[in-house]
Amino acid sequence: MDRHLEVLGTRGQRQVPFAESLTELNGRFQSASPEEILRWAIDTFSPKLALANSFGAEDVLLIDMLSRLYPPTKILTLDTGRLPEETYEVMERVRERYKVSIESYFPDREAVERLERERGFYSFRRSVEERKFCCGIRKVEPLGRALVGLDAWMTGLRREQAATRTGLDIVEIDEAHGSIVKLNPLAGWTEQQVWDYIRMHNVPYNALHDRGYPSIGCAPCTRAIQPGEDIRAGRWWWESPTTKECGLHLTQGNSDPSRKI
């Protein structure tokens, strides 16, 4: 039986294995471990597969899991130019510990220069629209470049992280990036499971986590949270919970479940 299905996306025609619907795949993976999902992803999409990594707890956990599998998977990160020093420090610790190459993608220089000259250095605090404009330059556009040529990418997103992520699926079609596959192996994990794994395997992690930062982004847009606050309360703390996405993950949960990949 032919196990391939031609998928026509904005980047042209390509073939990917295993003609299963999203419903079938997500049903199959509900009881699977993240390691099993990662192995399937590598077997199915490598070498056109990457892990998008911001070096939060979930992301370094996935690097540790991937380090135990073969072949090696591309690790990409978005260097917005305004990351905390602690994020660069853990990036270097991860690079040395796992002997991996980390591919950094920067925003367009002219776009950043124009943003700061015309709108100032803290325009993102004026409104949701201004903040998303900044994120579009510093994150969304570089991610688009980073994903060119890939058939699938992976994230450390979890349903428990935010009100905007409760409908997160393990497998999605990313319509915003040429209908490639997007995988969230930790979608069903809890924060406790993440930290149990990190401690068990002595995974390097961002020092800001120990200072009350459960979610870490750009330095001016992130603060520590208070006891009892939502774990995303420190991200863009001046906004309501329903707007707290930067534009990288707006398509989750919206894919046609009957669509095959």
Side-chain angles (χ1 to χ4, degrees):
M1 178 184 294
D2 184 2
R3 299 287 286 171
H4 290 73
L5 176 73
E6 289 188 338
V7 177
L8 188 62
T10 59
R11 293 192 183 127
Q13 198 172 59
R14 60 191 172 85
Q15 287 191 333
V16 293
F18 299 103
E20 295 178 77
S21 71
L22 293 179
T23 298
E24 291 168 334
L25 279 170
N26 281 300
R28 178 152 67 94
F29 288 150
Q30 285 306 311
S31 58
S33 68
E35 290 93 340
E36 291 173 308
I37 298 168
L38 292 175
R39 169 49 66 193
W40 175 84
I42 290 172
D43 290 345
T44 304
F45 299 108
S46 186
K48 294 186 177 183
L49 172 71
L51 170 65
N53 202 297
S54 61
F55 293 88
E58 293 82 3
D59 298 324
V60 293
L61 179 160
L62 288 174
I63 290 178
D64 185 87
M65 287 184 176
L66 286 169
S67 73
R68 305 167 193 276
L69 301 173
Y70 186 85
T73 300
K74 174 190 283 192
I75 298 170
L76 60 90
T77 192
L78 308 178
D79 190 337
T80 66
R82 303 198 75 165
L83 299 179
E85 185 66 24
E86 291 84 354
T87 299
Y88 294 109
E89 289 172 352
V90 74
M91 286 168 64
E92 184 63 13
R93 289 170 61 203
V94 165
R95 191 183 71 84
E96 293 179 352
R97 161 83 174 268
Y98 298 104
K99 309 302 180 189
V100 294
S101 174
I102 298 169
E103 299 186 13
S104 296
Y105 288 81
F106 292 83
D108 178 76
R109 177 184 60 80
E110 291 184 356
V112 173
E113 289 176 353
R114 188 163 54 251
L115 167 68
E116 295 187 348
R117 289 170 182 170
E118 296 178 358
R119 304 188 184 217
F121 298 94
Y122 290 92
S123 59
F124 45 83
R125 291 182 180 167
R126 294 182 195 137
S127 68
V128 173
E129 291 71 27
E130 287 281 355
R131 196 266 298 163
K132 289 184 176 180
F133 185 80
C134 182
C135 287
I137 290 174
R138 295 184 184 273
K139 294 183 177 182
V140 178
E141 188 277 332
L143 178 67
R145 282 188 278 113
L147 298 182
V148 170
L150 298 180
D151 282 340
W153 65 297
M154 301 180 290
T155 81
L157 298 181
R158 295 186 295 109
R159 298 181 190 119
E160 191 185 74
Q161 286 174 326
T164 54
R165 298 178 181 177
T166 55
L168 187 70
D169 283 329
I170 294 171
V171 188
E172 303 170 343
I173 299 297
D174 187 352
E175 305 286 356
H177 296 106
S179 295
I180 65 176
V181 174
K182 181 178 178 184
L183 295 157
N184 308 299
L186 299 177
W189 266 33
T190 65
E191 185 179 12
Q192 185 65 51
Q193 285 176 294
V194 169
W195 283 101
D196 285 348
Y197 182 99
I198 288 174
R199 294 185 179 103
M200 179 182 298
H201 297 280
N202 194 29
V203 179
Y205 64 85
N206 196 313
L208 289 176
H209 287 311
D210 291 334
R211 302 175 202 164
Y213 289 73
S215 179
I216 303 166
C218 290
C221 298
T222 310
R223 65 161 172 81
I225 66 170
Q226 300 300 314
E229 280 191 301
D230 182 85
I231 61 174
R232 293 270 289 179
R235 298 293 298 277
W236 308 301
W237 63 90
W238 58 90
E239 295 182 15
S240 70
T242 57
T243 65
K244 292 189 176 187
E245 290 291 353
C246 59
L248 300 181
H249 307 295
L250 294 183
T251 59
Q252 72 268 12
N254 295 328
S255 301
D256 178 0
S258 66
R259 180 165 181 177
K260 294 185 177 183
I261 67 169

